[in-house]
Amino acid sequence: LFAAQKGAVLIDALAFKSSKFLQQAAKLTLGMYMEASSEQNIHSILLGFFTADAVSRKSLALEKRKLEESKASCFCHKRSLD
């Protein structure tokens, strides 16, 4: 994650269930995080959104999602770090 930030690499994530780690990784690297509602719309999501470069994404009508919690958490133990 830190190497991606330093190298200006966008991390995109498509999840079938909510993942705070992937949400944070996408947000911190200015990438995209989306949740698929079913397996049937995966192709349209991948082709429509994830193939666009960083400049083209600005013109797409993307839903802005706000993270509920941006606290650091332990990846192994799934506990919040204070």
Side-chain angles (χ1 to χ4, degrees), residues 2-72:
F2 299 113
Q5 284 180 303
K6 188 170 184 166
V9 175
L10 304 177
I11 294 180
D12 295 330
L14 176 62
F16 287 106
K17 65 178 190 172
S18 182
S19 169
K20 291 200 185 276
F21 175 74
L22 291 177
Q23 287 178 9
Q24 288 177 350
K27 181 177 180 173
L28 292 173
T29 61
L30 304 177
M32 282 194 299
Y33 173 83
M34 297 182 94
E35 292 180 18
S37 56
S38 70
E39 292 181 19
Q40 294 177 349
N41 65 355
I42 292 174
H43 291 96
S44 61
I45 292 172
L46 290 174
L47 292 173
F49 295 102
F50 288 97
T51 56
D53 63 353
V55 176
S56 301
R57 290 178 185 189
K58 293 177 183 177
S59 63
L60 295 174
L62 297 175
E63 176 185 330
K64 299 292 182 191
R65 302 187 88 180
K66 187 173 181 175
L67 290 177
E68 296 121 18
E69 182 180 318
S70 294
K71 290 182 183 177

